[in-house]
Amino acid sequence: NLDTRVDISSGDELGSLGKAINDLAFETNRYRSNRREFFANVSHELRTPISYLKGYSQVLKQGLYQTEQERLQYLNIIENETDRMVRLINDLFELSKMEEGKIELQMSNLNLAEVLETSFFKVKIEIEKKGLTLKGQIDNGVPDIEADGIRMEQIFTNLLANALRYTKKGSIHVDVWHEEDHVHVIIEDTGVGIPEGELPLIFERFHRVEKSRSRDLGGTGLGLAIVKNLVELQHGEISVSSQVGTGTRFELRFPVAGKEAT
Ligand code: ADP
């Protein structure tokens, strides 16, 4: 029970002081509980790959395999789990820097269509390998936004990688256009979709709709938390809509350079 507030009925200064103390106690408890949950998640996420590394290295050391193919399979598992652990640690480091406000953005005037081309290029081969099509409707005449090019690319690469990860067949569609003082980007897929009740939660650290699927596909559960932080640090907004079995659509909106709200 996080709520340890004391009942205060007086409406004078003492009453407001009491109320402030109550609110502070509640926030502190919530912070402690979030922290506890966060560390429990991190330990769990690290323990899983470590147990694979330990298990399979023992199997190899003791020669407990029948064929050369089996031996290579175990080595592959070790390599993949190591990669995932490195990604997890990098993501955690990123998030902690962001949350402490220690991330330095190199802001400049950017053309989002150009940034998207670079992110496209990074995932294109994987998308084609999986037999999916990548469609773009990118308006090259969109005005610049003021943002950090590398961080922007990270946002799109992350969203495209998710679209790829959670789509078995069909296409990934990217749309860029502008309307009044905002540039809009849509990244849409024809993948597994997200149940409605889960939609508000997917931007939270370690929240996954299906843990094992995300894990098997190499996810860390931190991608969208990082994306949301980065979008907001650059005065943008992100929203999601989805239908199970049909697909998912992420919509981003950034103010045109010089039109940011102060
Ligand atoms: P993960 O590393 O697990 O992909 P993310 O933070 O990137 O972590 O995403 C959180 C969860 O949101 C995923 O585990 C998945 O359940 C869901 N998700 C994200 N993007 C998509 C998508 N394009 N289609 C379906 N589900 C998605």
Side-chain angles (χ1 to χ4, degrees), residues 2-261:
L2 293 180
D3 204 347
T4 51
R5 285 181 273 207
V6 180
D7 191 25
I8 292 166
S9 45
S10 95
D12 56 13
E13 278 117 338
L14 202 60
S16 9
L17 180 65
K19 186 179 170 306
I21 292 174
N22 267 342
D23 289 349
L24 185 66
F26 183 69
E27 282 306 317
T28 312
N29 278 343
R30 201 171 62 169
Y31 172 73
R32 281 205 195 112
S33 151
N34 282 347
R35 245 172 84 94
R36 208 173 306 127
E37 194 185 322
F38 175 71
F39 282 112
N41 273 326
V42 172
S43 324
H44 174 77
E45 294 295 331
L46 284 172
R47 208 175 288 139
T48 317
I50 288 171
S51 66
Y52 275 107
L53 297 186
K54 175 105 181 132
Y56 286 108
S57 52
Q58 270 173 348
V59 167
L60 289 171
K61 193 170 154 192
Q62 291 162 12
L64 298 174
Y65 50 88
Q66 311 288 327
T67 59
E68 173 60 11
Q69 194 192 5
E70 210 180 319
R71 189 182 78 91
L72 286 175
Q73 245 169 5
Y74 295 149
L75 282 169
N76 266 334
I77 296 175
I78 290 178
E79 194 177 12
N80 288 340
E81 290 298 320
T82 311
D83 286 348
R84 227 169 56 80
M85 209 154 67
V86 170
R87 268 204 309 279
L88 178 66
I89 290 165
N90 286 341
D91 282 357
L92 279 169
F93 189 57
E94 277 281 292
L95 260 182
S96 81
K97 270 198 304 192
M98 280 175 209
E99 287 176 0
E100 281 175 32
K102 285 200 178 134
I103 202 151
E104 281 187 23
L105 296 173
Q106 308 285 332
M107 303 297 256
S108 67
N109 279 12
L110 286 182
N111 183 295
L112 271 192
E114 279 168 24
V115 180
L116 264 161
E117 299 277 341
T118 320
S119 307
F120 252 39
F121 193 71
K122 280 195 182 160
V123 289
K124 195 169 175 279
I125 297 172
E126 293 301 316
I127 288 179
E128 283 168 1
K129 252 202 259 173
K130 210 171 162 181
L132 302 172
T133 33
L134 180 61
K135 297 183 200 155
Q137 205 168 345
I138 299 183
D139 176 0
N140 284 308
V142 292
D144 284 356
I145 64 162
E146 198 186 343
D148 178 318
I150 292 177
R151 296 304 181 174
M152 231 32 188
E153 202 195 297
Q154 192 181 353
I155 292 173
F156 296 134
T157 309
N158 239 306
L159 291 173
L160 286 169
N162 270 352
L164 169 71
R165 186 176 292 145
Y166 300 107
T167 304
K168 285 204 190 86
K169 60 178 193 307
S171 60
I172 296 171
H173 197 111
V174 179
D175 230 345
V176 183
W177 81 98
H178 105 277
E179 173 200 65
E180 290 174 19
D181 293 344
H182 288 92
V183 176
H184 295 252
V185 180
I186 283 179
I187 297 181
E188 192 169 11
D189 63 56
T190 55
V192 292
I194 302 167
E196 202 181 337
E198 300 273 349
L199 287 175
L201 305 171
I202 58 164
F203 294 101
E204 285 179 14
R205 300 178 299 199
F206 295 120
H207 189 87
R208 290 140 149 174
V209 177
E210 227 182 278
K211 259 205 160 68
S212 62
R213 178 165 55 203
S214 155
R215 252 200 65 80
D216 293 348
L217 298 170
T220 63
L222 294 174
L224 286 180
I226 293 178
V227 164
K228 189 168 170 35
N229 259 295
L230 285 177
V231 168
E232 289 173 357
L233 278 172
Q234 299 179 94
H235 317 289
E237 285 164 34
I238 181 166
S239 59
V240 59
S241 55
S242 185
Q243 213 164 0
V244 173
T246 307
T248 303
R249 170 189 169 107
F250 284 92
E251 177 160 0
L252 296 91
R253 206 169 84 116
F254 293 94
V256 167
K259 306 277 185 186
E260 296 91 357

